[in-house]
């Protein structure tokens, strides 16, 4: 997709005085959930039904016939969209409006295997245009790509590691060899940079800078665990670590990372709801009903990776929480509007609650969300793929000392963000709504403004999608502990004061499929073009973030610019109360 929808002023930040490093470091971009396009690759003719008996004598034959009919139906509808996107671009909208059943069958994963349903083959788009724009005029990575290009980067030195965000992290590797490909991309870009350097090559040339956004940060954490098991700590030392003698701060730029999960995952899976749909239920449900939405969301193992991590130690008990005065329950369920009998579900039991409601889905064994309480657990986690995306169980890589590998955390704050939910389990109402046994619906009549409860949703500080606890705890406190950061890798936190986007419609920048995109239409550049937003997605066009990226990957043109870059890249900038909140969290003792 081209950039004709965006002006030059919108694409480019007030660029700092940077110059292209003649042997600059490769940049790997890892996008977040729902921001990569998904393409149809189904082409096989639907002939399976013709070969089946019409008078099936047994139940198994009947099941096979039904499966073959479904496979044929999926192939027939999918062929119309071959090489077109079921997610991303206007093709997505066209497919949804023309044949919603076909669109849903393609987007939904098999409920038993977590892979492609029969007759469906949907794959992540590849290349930089897989996530530069999601829809015409709706940029995602486009501004970062354009600014990196302005200092000399191109498709040989800048790579977007697109992936099918619906898949569980385990299935990303087993179906698509995603982590194997990511390893190869980093190794090949390292080799390419060193070949270009020629006689000027030194040990620093070619080391990659990773830029991840949203769930992409959790994906990268999983990759670090995977590569450690596959190739050992030495791999990270060779391909990622900076060099003290050469004064190079290379590393990982973690943008709005979902490090400890996202509570809004819970209502999506439990009832197909979120804050935005509670404001406009009739319109949303007419287009795509709650049962359809919840069934779709429950099939996505990638979404399940965002269930909050850390248990009550991080998110709090029923009575108290580190980040708010209303207690730390993530879900509260009452039998009716007037009932005083409320069941509170905290982070210690939220996994069991969700999997029970979702009828024990395949992904229930793919993740381990508790924090480690013994050294034995920490040691075991290094070899367990269920733990790799959980930074409270799996430590960062060990580097030989001293190290100049740096983690920069950049995220927005001061935006109302979903943190907990008030549910009703009114059987009559839910059966009318089509839920059957699930029997849950957000109590939209429950609002307490002084407690930041709005339409049954508990709000807290964050970036409008991810709460501050998940964005900032590991950056400001968690990774200061040896158990999680044995090499004392420097972590710099740079917060962005949020600026909630205004929409020509309803919603607050989230959306129908729930996590990052809005219902309203942007008013050209006035909506997302200021370069100052800290919103979960809009931060990818934030000037401060872009300047941080450019300074981290390039050289400064003047000594004055070099001093400013050094100060920026090594100075925390915090507007929220994340430091005070983090100090209230008590980790198990004796593990450092």
């Amino acid at each position: 997709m081209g950039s004709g929808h965006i002006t030059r002023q919108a694409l480019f930040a007030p660029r700092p005085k940077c110059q292209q490093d003649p042997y600059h470091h490769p940049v790997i971009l890892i996008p977040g959930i729902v921001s990569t396009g998904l393409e149809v690759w189904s082409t096989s003719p639907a002939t399976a039904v013709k070969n089946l008996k019409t008078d099936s004598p047994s139940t198994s034959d009947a099941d096979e016939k039904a499966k073959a009919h479904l496979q044929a139906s999926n192939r027939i509808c999918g062929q119309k969209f071959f090489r077109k996107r079921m997610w991303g671009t206007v093709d997505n909208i066209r497919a949804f409006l023309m044949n919603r059943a076909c669109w849903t069958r393609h987007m939904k994963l098999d409920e038993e295997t977590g892979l492609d349903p029969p007759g469906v083959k949907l794959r992540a788009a590849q290349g930089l245009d897989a996530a530069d724009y999601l829809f015409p005029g709706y940029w995602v990575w486009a501004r970062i790509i354009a600014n990196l290009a302005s200092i000399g980067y191109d498709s040989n030195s800048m790579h977007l590691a697109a992936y099918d965000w619906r898949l569980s992290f385990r299935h990303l590797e087993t179906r698509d060899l995603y982590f194997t490909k990511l390893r190869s991309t980093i190794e090949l870009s390292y080799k390419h940079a060193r070949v270009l350097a020629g006689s000027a090559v030194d040990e620093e040339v070619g080391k990659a800078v990773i830029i991840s956004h949203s769930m992409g940060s959790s994906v990268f954490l999983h990759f670090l665990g995977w590569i450690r098991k596959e190739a050992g700590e030495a791999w990270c030392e060779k391909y990622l670590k900076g060099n003290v003698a050469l004064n190079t701060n290379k590393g990982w730029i973690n943008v709005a990372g979902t490090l400890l999960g996202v509570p809004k995952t819970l209502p999506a899976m439990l009832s197909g709801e979120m804050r935005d749909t509670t404001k406009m239920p009739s319109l949303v449900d007419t287009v795509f009903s709650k049962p359809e939405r919840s069934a779709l969301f429950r099939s996505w193992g990638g979404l399940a990776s965002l269930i909050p991590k850390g248990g009550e130690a991080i998110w709090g008990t029923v009575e108290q929480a580190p980040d708010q005065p209303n207690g730390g329950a993530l879900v509260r369920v009452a039998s009716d509007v007037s009932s005083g009998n409320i069941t509170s579900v905290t982070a210690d039991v939220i996994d069991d609650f969700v999997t029970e409601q979702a009828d024990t889905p395949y992904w229930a064994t793919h993740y381990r969300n508790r924090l480690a309480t013994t050294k034995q657990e920490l040691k075991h986690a290094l070899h367990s793929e269920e733990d790799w995306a959980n930074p409270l169980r799996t430590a960062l890589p060990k580097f030989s000392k001293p190290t100049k590998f740096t983690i920069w955390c950049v995220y927005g704050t001061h935006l109302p963000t979903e943190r907990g939910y008030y549910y009703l389990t009114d059987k009559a109402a839910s059966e009318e709504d089509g839920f059957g046994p699930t029997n849950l619906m957000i109590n939209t009549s429950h609002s307490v403004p002084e407690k930041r409860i709005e339409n049954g949703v508990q709000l807290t500080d964050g970036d409008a999608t991810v709460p501050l606890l998940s964005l900032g705890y590991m950056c400001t406190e968690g990774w200061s502990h040896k158990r999680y950061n044995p090499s004392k890798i420097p972590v710099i936190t740079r917060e962005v004061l949020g600026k909630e986007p205004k929409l020509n419609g309803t919603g607050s920048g989230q959306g129908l499929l729930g996590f990052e995109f809005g219902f309203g239409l942007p008013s050209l550049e006035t909506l997302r073009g200021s370069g100052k937003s800290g919103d979960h997605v809009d931060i990818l066009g934030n000037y401060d973030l872009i300047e941080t990226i450019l300074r981290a990957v390039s050289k400064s043109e003047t000594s004055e610019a070099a001093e400013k870059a050094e100060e920026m890249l090594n100075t925390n900038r915090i507007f929220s109360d994340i430091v005070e909140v983090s100090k209230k969290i008590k980790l198990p003792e004796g593990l450092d």
Side-chain angles (χ1 to χ4, degrees):
M1 299 181 64
S3 58
H5 300 279
I6 305 295
T7 65
R8 180 176 178 83
Q9 287 77 12
L11 273 174
F12 290 91
R15 190 150 39 105
K17 294 182 178 180
C18 300
Q19 62 179 356
Q20 177 183 349
D21 184 337
Y23 318 116
H24 53 236
H25 301 270
V27 168
I28 311 296
L29 310 175
I30 306 180
I33 190 170
V34 310
S35 57
T36 297
L38 302 176
E39 298 176 341
V40 176
W41 282 88
S42 303
T43 59
S44 301
T47 57
V49 176
K50 298 179 182 178
N51 299 324
L52 289 174
K53 298 178 181 178
T54 57
D55 54 344
S56 301
S58 68
T59 302
S60 60
D61 286 341
D63 291 342
E64 286 300 315
K65 185 175 178 64
K67 185 182 294 185
H69 273 291
L70 176 61
Q71 180 176 354
S73 175
N74 288 340
R75 284 176 172 172
I76 290 170
C77 76
Q79 285 174 9
K80 300 175 183 178
F81 298 99
F82 177 63
R83 293 292 315 279
K84 297 185 183 300
R85 294 189 184 181
M86 281 289 183
W87 182 253
T89 77
V90 293
D91 292 327
N92 168 189
I93 301 171
R94 185 180 299 115
F96 183 86
L97 295 177
M98 290 177 59
N99 193 336
R100 182 162 55 86
C102 177
W103 181 88
T104 302
R105 291 201 301 269
H106 275 74
M107 290 296 296
K108 186 178 179 182
L109 294 171
D110 188 284
E111 293 177 347
E112 295 182 4
T113 67
L115 300 171
D116 295 314
V120 169
K121 183 180 284 188
L122 199 64
R123 296 293 181 265
Q126 298 299 309
L128 294 173
D129 63 351
D132 56 351
Y133 292 85
L134 187 68
F135 301 104
Y138 194 104
W139 50 263
V140 184
W141 285 87
R143 293 188 173 190
I144 290 175
I145 292 170
N147 277 276
L148 285 169
S150 74
I151 60 169
Y153 278 85
D154 56 29
S155 57
N156 287 323
S157 51
M158 173 172 43
H159 308 275
L160 193 142
Y163 59 94
D164 186 341
W165 38 266
R166 301 171 305 152
L167 296 178
S168 73
F169 295 172
R170 176 185 298 180
H171 285 159
L172 280 176
E173 181 62 17
T174 56
R175 194 195 77 175
D176 295 346
L177 291 179
Y178 176 76
F179 297 109
T180 299
K181 292 176 182 176
L182 180 54
R183 173 185 180 176
S184 297
T185 298
I186 293 173
E187 292 175 350
L188 185 60
S189 58
Y190 172 85
K191 181 177 181 180
H192 183 261
R194 295 176 73 81
V195 168
L196 291 180
S199 60
V201 71
D202 57 51
E203 64 174 283
E204 171 61 12
V205 170
K207 293 182 184 290
V209 175
I210 309 298
I211 307 174
S212 63
H213 173 245
S214 187
M215 192 175 84
S217 296
S218 299
V219 169
F220 183 60
L221 284 176
H222 186 95
F223 171 76
L224 290 177
W226 178 86
I227 195 65
R228 176 162 37 200
K229 186 175 181 180
E230 292 290 317
E233 305 277 5
W235 188 94
C236 296
E237 186 89 23
K238 179 176 180 179
Y239 293 103
L240 299 178
K241 179 194 165 191
N243 187 296
V244 170
L246 297 174
N247 196 31
T248 54
N249 284 59
K250 304 309 171 190
W252 171 26
I253 302 175
N254 159 40
V255 184
T258 56
L259 300 177
L260 298 182
V262 185
K264 72 185 301 179
T265 301
L266 305 176
M269 288 186 161
L270 291 173
S271 58
E273 298 176 280
M274 62 281 305
R275 180 188 175 200
D276 304 292
T277 62
T278 62
K279 294 180 178 180
M280 46 185 300
S282 58
L283 173 59
V284 178
D285 294 344
T286 299
V287 177
F288 202 26
S289 71
K290 295 177 193 174
E292 290 177 306
R293 297 197 302 266
S294 62
L296 177 65
F297 295 145
R298 291 176 186 181
S299 76
W300 293 348
L303 178 59
S305 73
L306 301 180
I307 292 174
K309 300 173 176 64
E312 292 181 2
I314 300 296
W315 296 93
T317 65
V318 174
E319 294 79 19
Q320 58 185 7
D323 61 327
Q324 61 159 357
N326 302 333
L330 297 170
V331 172
R332 295 175 174 88
V333 184
S335 58
D336 57 64
V337 175
S338 60
S339 175
N341 184 17
I342 298 176
T343 299
S344 297
V345 184
T346 66
D348 268 2
V349 293
I350 195 64
D351 289 329
D352 295 336
F353 183 76
V354 174
T355 55
E356 180 181 347
Q357 292 293 325
D359 197 21
T360 315
Y362 68 90
W363 45 257
T365 59
H366 287 205
Y367 306 102
R368 194 173 287 119
N369 291 326
R370 296 283 191 92
L371 83 169
T373 57
T374 67
K375 288 185 177 181
Q376 185 177 1
E377 281 187 271
L378 289 169
K379 184 176 180 180
H380 178 266
L382 297 176
H383 308 283
S384 172
E385 63 178 335
E386 296 84 3
D387 296 313
W388 292 338
N390 184 350
L392 295 169
R393 297 186 68 85
T394 304
L396 294 170
K398 281 185 179 179
F399 291 131
S400 62
K401 298 179 180 179
T403 179
K404 289 293 280 187
F405 183 89
T406 300
I407 298 174
W408 292 278
C409 298
V410 185
Y411 58 83
T413 68
H414 288 61
L415 291 174
T417 304
E418 297 176 41
R419 205 262 191 216
Y421 305 88
Y422 290 80
Y423 268 96
L424 290 175
T425 173
D426 186 302
K427 191 169 182 59
S430 58
E431 283 183 347
E432 181 180 344
D433 202 34
F435 271 84
T438 303
N439 199 31
L440 288 173
M441 55 191 296
I442 290 179
N443 180 8
T444 56
S445 66
H446 183 57
S447 294
V448 186
E450 62 271 21
K451 293 185 177 181
R452 301 191 74 184
I453 301 171
E454 179 182 298
N455 300 117
V457 179
Q458 174 69 64
L459 301 175
T460 189
D461 187 13
D463 68 358
T465 296
V466 185
L468 182 63
L469 265 178
S470 183
L471 293 165
Y473 173 72
M474 293 307 300
C475 303
T476 58
E477 176 64 26
W479 280 323
S480 67
H481 293 268
K482 186 177 180 181
R483 71 188 76 175
Y484 304 135
N485 187 2
S487 296
K488 297 183 178 180
I489 294 171
V491 183
I492 304 299
T493 301
R494 294 191 62 80
E495 292 186 341
V496 174
L497 274 176
K499 198 172 186 181
E500 191 165 17
K502 298 178 181 178
L503 297 175
N504 294 334
T506 54
S508 60
Q510 311 313 309
L512 180 63
L513 284 182
F515 307 99
E516 298 182 345
F517 304 102
F519 290 109
L521 297 175
S523 56
L524 300 178
E525 296 312 312
T526 59
L527 170 61
R528 307 180 67 230
S530 69
K532 298 178 181 179
S533 176
D535 174 82
H536 186 65
V537 178
D538 293 357
I539 195 171
L540 290 173
N542 181 275
Y543 287 169
D544 186 79
L545 169 64
I546 292 174
E547 183 175 355
T548 299
I549 291 171
L550 295 182
R551 292 193 185 280
V553 302
S554 66
K555 293 181 177 179
S556 299
E557 293 180 346
T558 65
S559 58
E560 181 181 354
E563 290 178 7
K564 184 176 181 180
E566 185 72 13
E567 179 182 0
M568 183 177 197
L569 295 176
N570 291 282
T571 304
N572 291 313
R573 187 186 64 184
I574 296 176
F575 301 112
S576 72
D577 59 354
I578 185 61
V579 175
E580 292 74 18
V581 167
S582 297
K583 291 185 183 304
K584 297 177 184 178
I585 295 174
K586 304 301 179 185
L587 297 174
E589 297 181 355
L591 302 188
D592 293 322

